[in-house]
Amino acid sequence: MTMTRSAPALDDRRIEALMDGALALAERGGGGTAPNPMVGCVLCDADGQILGEGFHARAGEAHAEVLALEDARAAGHDVHGATAVVTLEPCAHPGKTPPCAETMARAGIGRVVYAMADPHVGRGGAVHLEAAGIPVRGGVRERMARRLNEPWLHFIATGRPFFHLKTAQTLNARVTRGREDERWVTGVAARAAVHRLRRRHAAVLVGIGTVQADDPLLTVREWPPAGSERTGDPPWPDVQPVRVILDSRLGIPLSSRLIESARSIPVWIFCGSETSEERSAELAARGAEIVRVPHLPAGLDLEAVSHELVSRGVTGVLVEPGPTLATAFLESGFVDRWTMFLAPDWVAARGALPLLLSEAPHTGFVLDEAEWEVHDSDAAVSGRVRRATPR
């Protein structure tokens, strides 16, 4: 009979607080972990004092549990009998790194608490840990963990990237203020929230119309906010999403900030199959990758775009479209989550989010499990997109 190791007696409140810390650590990996999930781990002693911390930073690199063990040992702590609080059930299968369940058992961990189970059947390590006499508890802060890794879970379940639509508008559905000196619809806090979303996705996608109108850089620059970090917090890795441009005729200007930065941060330009080879070579010489997909009457084939992104290991895409591309994604059925930022203004400007979708009852949408946030004077609503049924 297997002897069960004695486990530290920590109350639920402390365990949940430690899991909150592990989730915050996990987010530091961001889209750089794709096609792997974001995972954080905290080790603590019987009194709930933290011994070590770690998070998965990039695919192919050490897992969160291994880094937490290394962190504890580097600080001179004995991890025998410690509790491991981890956001994802430790893995039990060998890959580019050894199985974490085996590593934790060898280290003498006394108990494992995790947030969500591994969705890969047979790959989770809970059974292996229990067989080694280590008590295991799952489901702590599970909803938060699943929300954090929503793109990865969707990718595992469906085999296609998770498309997260982000729009910003005024009260009268305008996507611009109509003045050159006011480039953004929302304020500083809301823009920082957008940069946070960018960092949590492997790629950010726009259409050529947005590139020509705004000359965006599409990088993460305002997250974390200045002054928000505590002394001793681990650094955020420099994670930048792949910039994906839908440009059927390769009309992107060579002087655009995207092309000028393509050698340092990847730019993938999706274009039609018949696009000029000479123009393709010109852009490729500046560091952009050209990807040809079929061109349908309504635009580039989004199904083909999705397949190409899968082949490149992209699990989640933040779509930051103009009105036309937003409508195309919604009508295609590809939008999985929609986050809409709303500025408390009524402006006299052109450029409205198309309302054609609301004219026919069967083409409407519902945001399931809607979440509301306030960013200074702006608001944001986010939810899973579902086609509305006629009443």
Side-chain angles (χ1 to χ4, degrees), residues 42-201:
V42 176
L43 302 179
C44 70
D45 62 16
D47 297 321
Q49 298 301 307
I50 295 175
L51 304 176
E53 299 177 323
F55 63 91
H56 184 46
R58 293 186 185 278
E61 295 184 4
H63 288 190
E65 299 93 324
V66 173
L67 293 173
L69 287 168
E70 291 178 355
D71 185 48
R73 289 164 177 156
H77 296 304
D78 181 4
V79 299
H80 193 273
T83 292
V85 180
V86 61
T87 58
L88 177 66
E89 178 184 4
C91 63
H93 68 287
K96 293 183 178 179
T97 59
C100 289
E102 180 182 320
T103 300
M104 297 172 85
R106 288 202 311 267
I109 293 296
R111 177 170 61 165
V112 174
V113 178
Y114 65 85
M116 67 175 183
D118 192 324
H120 292 98
V121 177
R123 292 191 177 186
V127 172
H128 299 270
L129 290 165
E130 290 173 337
I134 302 173
V136 177
R137 174 187 173 189
V140 177
R141 296 284 200 251
E142 180 177 4
R143 186 189 68 81
M144 296 172 64
R146 295 183 70 84
R147 179 72 171 82
L148 178 67
N149 274 307
E150 193 174 34
W152 178 70
L153 290 168
H154 176 89
F155 182 80
I156 295 301
T158 67
R160 74 166 178 83
F162 180 85
F163 288 100
H164 186 164
L165 180 68
K166 187 280 299 181
T167 59
Q169 67 177 65
T170 63
L171 291 176
N172 57 333
R174 297 300 186 262
V175 297
T176 174
R177 294 186 181 277
R179 296 190 295 271
E180 291 185 3
D181 60 335
E182 288 197 59
R183 183 177 178 184
W184 294 283
V185 170
T186 53
V188 173
R191 294 201 297 272
V194 172
H195 282 259
R196 184 183 191 183
L197 288 179
R198 285 181 183 175
R199 200 182 183 284
R200 287 170 65 164
H201 291 76

Side-chain angles (χ1 to χ4, degrees), residues 17 39 136 165 280 306 326 360 373:
V39 183
V136 177
L165 180 68
S280 298
S306 176
E373 291 183 349

Side-chain angles (χ1 to χ4, degrees), residues 24-30 55 196 199-200 223-225 228-229 233-239:
L25 284 168
E27 186 180 355
R28 291 174 184 261
F55 63 91
R196 184 183 191 183
R199 200 182 183 284
R200 287 170 65 164
W223 189 265
S228 65
E229 294 289 272
D233 281 344
W236 289 72
D238 183 14
V239 173

Side-chain angles (χ1 to χ4, degrees), residues 106 111 119 170 198 228 247 273 276 279 289 319:
R106 288 202 311 267
R111 177 170 61 165
T170 63
R198 285 181 183 175
S228 65
D247 182 6
S273 303
S276 162
R279 178 63 171 172
E289 181 176 348
V319 183

Side-chain angles (χ1 to χ4, degrees), residues 147 164-167 169 197 337-342 366-375 378-385:
R147 179 72 171 82
H164 186 164
L165 180 68
K166 187 280 299 181
T167 59
Q169 67 177 65
L197 288 179
R337 174 172 289 277
W338 188 354
T339 298
M340 179 184 294
F341 290 84
L342 185 65
V366 175
L367 297 186
D368 286 332
E369 302 175 18
E371 304 166 357
W372 288 88
E373 291 183 349
V374 175
H375 304 283
D378 302 312
V381 59
S382 182
R384 296 296 297 257
V385 174

